[in-house]
Amino acid sequence: LTRHQLKCAFLALFGTKPTKNQLEVFMTGHNGGEAEPCISWHQFRECVQALASMQDPNEHIRQVFKAFDKEACGFISRSTAHAAFSEAAPTVSWKVVDEVFDELDLDHDGRVSCQDFVTMMRFCLSR
């Protein structure tokens, strides 16, 4: 992989561009005899595995939660859930949104906290 290909792959996998420092770490010592520095697929896989093991497994779920929590109040209300689904998935009925909300509201306080959301999403993803 060339430096450009590495940037593209990093962006696709992690959702952000690599920093200059990360690129230098990846590319250092991996010339492969080419005029332009490059790394092998094997070296790339090792780098990605190292980075992935350092990431918080719940971070993506928290980012999804934040997309619903537009007011940044730390929870999703039933009305916020309705508004989000109306905007993102208008064909989903309010009845279905209410059912999903009730499933996510683990402590039945009328709000879905980030922890409720993470817990239920991890449970659903583990099935």
Side-chain angles (χ1 to χ4, degrees):
L1 292 170
T2 64
R3 182 178 297 271
H4 176 73
Q5 290 169 328
L6 179 60
K7 285 181 189 179
C8 293
F10 194 95
L11 180 60
L13 288 170
F14 297 106
T16 61
K17 292 181 181 178
T19 65
K20 286 183 180 184
N21 187 46
Q22 287 172 322
L23 278 174
E24 291 306 315
V25 168
F26 284 148
M27 301 304 286
T28 299
H30 302 299
N31 191 340
E34 303 291 326
E36 181 179 357
C38 60
I39 63 173
S40 70
W41 282 106
H42 175 73
Q43 293 161 331
F44 172 71
R45 188 178 72 234
E46 288 177 350
C47 291
V48 168
Q49 286 174 335
L51 278 174
S53 70
M54 293 186 308
Q55 286 193 324
D56 179 357
N58 295 328
E59 183 59 28
H60 181 71
I61 297 172
R62 278 194 290 277
Q63 292 300 321
V64 173
F65 176 84
K66 287 179 184 179
F68 278 95
D69 183 20
K70 289 185 178 186
E71 295 161 6
C73 54
F75 63 86
I76 302 167
S77 66
R78 189 175 300 271
S79 62
T80 303
H82 281 278
F85 274 89
S86 292
E87 184 179 320
T91 59
V92 176
S93 73
W94 280 35
K95 180 182 178 201
V96 170
V97 174
D98 285 336
E99 289 172 2
V100 170
F101 187 87
D102 291 339
E103 287 276 329
L104 290 171
D105 185 13
L106 298 177
D107 56 8
H108 307 290
D109 64 354
R111 307 184 313 183
V112 175
S113 69
C114 187
Q115 187 57 49
D116 289 343
F117 192 82
V118 169
T119 299
M120 288 303 291
M121 292 300 108
R122 299 245 340 135
F123 175 74
C124 291
L125 292 172
S126 69
R127 288 183 178 181

